[in-house]
Each structure stands twice: as structure tokens, then as C-alpha cells.
Amino acid sequence: MTTTTARDPLVHRMRPFGTTIFTEMSALAARTGAVNLGQGFPDTDGPAEMLAAAAEALRGGQNQYPPMPGIPALRAAVAEHQRRFWDLSYDPDGEVVITAGATEAIAAAILGLCESGDEVVCFEPYYDSYAASIALAGAVRRPVTLRPAADGRYSFDPADLRAAFGPRTRLVLLNSPHNPTGKVFTADELALVAELCQEYGAYAVTDEVYEHLVYTDASTPHIPLASLPGMAERTLRVSSAGKTFSCTGWKVGWASGPAPLVSAVLRVKQFLTFVNGAPLQPAVAVALALGDDYYDNFRTTHQLRRDQLSAGLTDAGFDVLSAEGTYFVTADITALGGRDGVEFCRTLPERCGVVAIPSQVFYDNVDAGRRLVRFAFCKRSEVLAEAVDRLRTLR
Ligand code: PMP
Ligand code: GLN
């Protein structure tokens, strides 16, 4: 007898999404004792001032629901931070909302802005939550493929981007600096995105969680799409504390933009989480106001780690692609005899005790990423050294 309960109760639109690759690979690392260069989380704590402020808030009674858009001190700090670093101006009252990580901001934006059947242009490989949030909204993703060029940098064909836009395009979801490629979008690339958004009347949602991780040898500085002519009024800018302050488990993020876009996020957000992280919010406000030395040191440290891991991977026989920003470096496995990144990553822990992420899970066009794998370098130097020693045994 077929009963209702015997069938998978999951809605159709979520069926293509299994367990996330991060969960699978972190579990594999835990099970095998492998060095985990898969899921992108730091193995050291963030700034002491921030941690002290969180402890103080926790002990000082800030443990009940904060205001729905976030506490005023954090909204003010988020606005001030964007003025200070990017010369962008947002009113903390109405143009900034605090969310449960960047993930919730992006999900709420898609759910709040897309009708069923609307199209979302995004660059693949894309961060995995994008596809799920687009599917939950009943929207359709229109991926544009980033491919490594001869110089090791990823780029896209402008004709592909043009072709991805159409009458149903509702928004562009742009992640720069980009996970997993480490690409930082250039002024010319952003200008084309901006031109097409305006031509098609589309909004932009920008995921800038790695805004402070663009390395000094990158071909471009970080340029927020919202800073381009005509874009502030149609862009919702998303970021979070997780990466910049090494507190990925706190899940304190934010979205800034014109009041109608922020209001759309708020409408949805109030029924997803309503609020989050009461004692963490004042601590993130403290962190955002840290001096330039904090941000400089944060970038310099990660650049050294990137250099260490990139050199080690090259030495181990990988074809390493250029990472101009983020926590991640990608590499081609062909020279090591690899044909398929998923198979390579599933067997890597038993072959040499290291966990990495197959880039192909972030593509619709799987072939474009089949032989690429991603390694996280947001780890202590001795951990990276151990991983490299192990990977060298693959040769
Ligand atoms: N966007 C990108 C590109 C990411 O790499 C991540 C992962 N940390 C997120 C969003 C999610 O950020 P949060 O943890 O603040 O939700
Ligand atoms: N952003 C992290 C990464 O790309 C993972 C976040 C998660 O586990 N969902 O590795």
C-alpha cells in the first residue's frame, strides 16, 4: 500500500538539494581525522574587543528580542562602516537591516523580490544557498559561467551575460569577491552588469561578505556595485560579520539599500527569524569600528596564508588558479590524474588525510567545474603546512 507517509514529504522544489557539500565534507573530515580545508571557517578567534563586548552584553542582560531591524547601535555602525570604506551613504533608520547572517539577507531578498517564474542572473560557480533560495521562491536561475583564462584568472564572456538577461529578469545576484573562485570583479565587468540591470529594469543583490579580503596583488580593488552610476537606487548590498571578524558561527549579517528594497527584506525576515543574536549585535558594532590596523592586519595575514597554500599546492602537483580575494584558492586536478572533483574529494581523506570541496557542485554546467577543487586557507599556518605535507604524498 502506498501511503502519504511512505513518500518523501519534501516539496518538489527542494528535492534537487541534498545535504550541503559543507556538511558532507566536514563530517568526512571529523570521521577520518583529515585536515579540513573544506568548509570555510577560521580556526582562530576574532578581535578580543569584540569577544569582550559580547560577553559583557550577555552578562549585562541583553538577552531578549532586539528590535526587528537590529539594534540602533549596530545599524549605525553598519552605515558608518560603508561610508568609511566605500563612500556609500545609507540611513541607519530604514536603509539598513540586521539579519541572521548574509544567508538570511539573501534568502529574504529573493523571497521578497521575486514572483514565481521571475529570473535571477547569477555567476556560476555560485554559493550553494543561492540556488536553494531561488528555488524556494519559485524563481529561475540564469547562470553565467566563469572560466579560468590562460593567466589563471576567472572571467566570463560578455555575450553570455547579455544572453542571460531577458524580459523576466528580476534581479542579478553578484558575489564579489567571489566564493569559490577567489575572483574580484573588475570595473569593466561591473559596468556591464550595471548597464544590463538598467537596460532591463532589474535589481541587484550583492554578496560582499569578503569585502575586506582583496589582496594587494589583485588586478582590481573591491568595487561595490552600488557605487556605480545609477546603481545605488537598485542595489541591495549584503555583508556579514562572519568572515571579517572570524565569527562564522555568530550569523550576524546585514543588508543595506534604498528603503523599499530593505523594507521587502524586512517583511520576509520578520517571519523567518524575526531577530537574532541579541548579545552579539553590540559586539559586532564594536568590531566594525575597529581601526584600520585591524583590517590591514586581517588582509595581510590571509594574503600570507593564501601564498603559503598556493605555493604548497603547486609543489604538490596541482595547477593552482589565481585567488585575488576571499578565503579560498581553486586548483585543477588534471595533472594529478584527477578526472572528477567529487570523486577526488571523496577519496582524498583516505589517500592523504586532507578534505577539500569539489567546485563542480556550485555549477549548473557541471563540466565547466568538473576538474576544479577548492581549498580554504583561513587556517593557522601550521595547519596549512601539515595539509601541504600530506598533499605532497599524492605525487
Ligand atoms: N555568501 C558567501 C559568498 C559565502 O561564502 C558565505 C559563507 N560564509 C555566505 C554568503 C554566508 O554568510 P553567513 O554565514 O553570514 O550567512
Ligand atoms: N561559506 C562557507 C564556505 O563556502 C560555508 C558555509 C556553510 O557551511 N554553509 O565554505
Side-chain angles (χ1 to χ4, degrees):
M1 185 180 78
T2 311
T3 63
T4 313
T5 49
R7 280 187 247 121
D8 184 352
L10 186 66
V11 292
H12 276 95
R13 56 190 180 279
M14 281 307 287
R15 291 212 186 150
F17 304 94
T19 305
T20 83
I21 194 71
F22 305 116
T23 305
E24 179 188 340
M25 289 298 166
S26 282
L28 186 61
R31 208 164 56 239
T32 58
V35 180
N36 189 357
L37 302 188
Q39 195 175 26
F41 60 89
D43 58 358
T44 46
D45 269 336
E49 300 91 320
M50 177 185 82
L51 301 177
E56 197 183 309
L58 194 97
R59 289 202 201 93
Q62 295 196 50
N63 298 305
Q64 310 309 327
Y65 299 128
M68 216 257 291
I71 62 167
L74 180 53
R75 282 186 278 117
V78 165
E80 170 53 23
H81 171 269
Q82 297 181 84
R83 192 205 53 73
R84 169 180 163 195
F85 285 99
W86 313 120
D87 203 18
L88 292 169
S89 160
Y90 296 104
D91 182 348
D93 296 321
E95 295 185 335
V96 175
V97 52
I98 308 306
T99 55
T103 309
E104 188 195 35
I106 294 163
I110 294 169
L111 289 165
L113 295 173
C114 293
E115 301 289 359
S116 170
D118 280 352
E119 295 180 0
V120 177
V121 174
C122 52
F123 292 88
E124 67 173 7
Y126 44 72
Y127 184 57
D128 68 343
S129 81
Y130 297 1
S133 293
I134 293 167
L136 280 173
V140 178
R141 59 184 184 271
R142 289 276 170 239
V144 176
T145 307
L146 298 172
R147 296 175 200 278
D151 65 359
R153 293 196 165 95
Y154 287 80
S155 60
F156 62 91
D157 182 341
D160 288 350
L161 183 59
R162 268 187 193 285
F165 277 77
R168 291 299 309 258
T169 306
R170 179 65 166 167
L171 55 90
V172 178
L173 191 45
L174 178 85
N175 170 216
S176 182
H178 183 263
N179 174 10
T181 63
K183 172 183 174 60
V184 185
F185 281 71
T186 65
D188 285 351
E189 291 169 336
L190 294 172
L192 181 58
V193 173
E195 179 193 319
L196 290 166
C197 280
Q198 290 173 54
E199 190 178 325
Y200 286 87
Y203 296 114
V205 175
T206 61
D207 175 347
E208 302 180 45
V209 299
Y210 300 101
E211 61 191 316
H212 290 291
L213 286 177
V214 173
Y215 302 117
T216 51
D217 51 6
S219 49
T220 172
H222 176 57
I223 306 169
L225 186 66
S227 67
L228 271 66
M231 290 310 288
E233 54 265 46
R234 59 177 67 244
T235 301
L236 189 74
R237 199 174 174 258
V238 173
S239 192
S240 105
K243 304 298 147 44
T244 302
F245 304 115
S246 303
C247 56
T248 59
W250 282 19
K251 299 295 277 191
V252 175
W254 47 87
S256 319
L261 291 182
V262 168
S263 166
V265 170
L266 267 167
R267 292 278 196 101
V268 176
K269 179 214 155 42
Q270 64 184 339
F271 302 117
L272 292 176
T273 55
F274 184 57
V275 291
N276 68 292
L280 307 177
Q281 291 196 19
V284 171
V286 167
L288 284 165
L290 288 171
D292 290 350
D293 53 335
Y294 172 77
Y295 292 93
D296 291 345
N297 183 45
F298 175 67
R299 191 196 56 240
T300 307
T301 306
H302 283 81
Q303 184 157 344
L304 288 171
R305 303 277 189 271
R306 177 205 61 174
D307 292 347
Q308 182 187 355
L309 185 62
S310 300
L313 289 172
T314 303
D315 206 32
F318 290 89
D319 279 326
V320 178
L321 296 157
S322 140
E324 302 194 311
T326 78
Y327 274 177
F328 309 110
V329 60
T330 55
D332 190 302
I333 56 175
T334 311
L336 284 165
R339 297 279 168 271
D340 184 274
V342 167
E343 190 205 317
F344 185 86
C345 290
R346 287 206 171 119
T347 55
L348 202 57
E350 71 198 45
R351 287 175 71 199
C352 74
V354 175
V355 159
I357 299 283
S359 297
Q360 69 178 256
V361 301
F362 307 126
Y363 290 80
D364 284 313
N365 171 15
V366 173
D367 274 339
R370 195 171 294 283
R371 296 183 183 196
L372 299 171
V373 298
R374 187 196 85 174
F375 295 88
F377 52 77
C378 47
K379 307 290 173 184
R380 284 168 292 136
S381 176
E382 58 270 31
V383 172
L384 298 177
E386 174 63 29
V388 166
D389 280 347
R390 295 179 182 202
L391 288 162
R392 276 207 198 92
T393 63
L394 288 174
R395 264 183 180 284

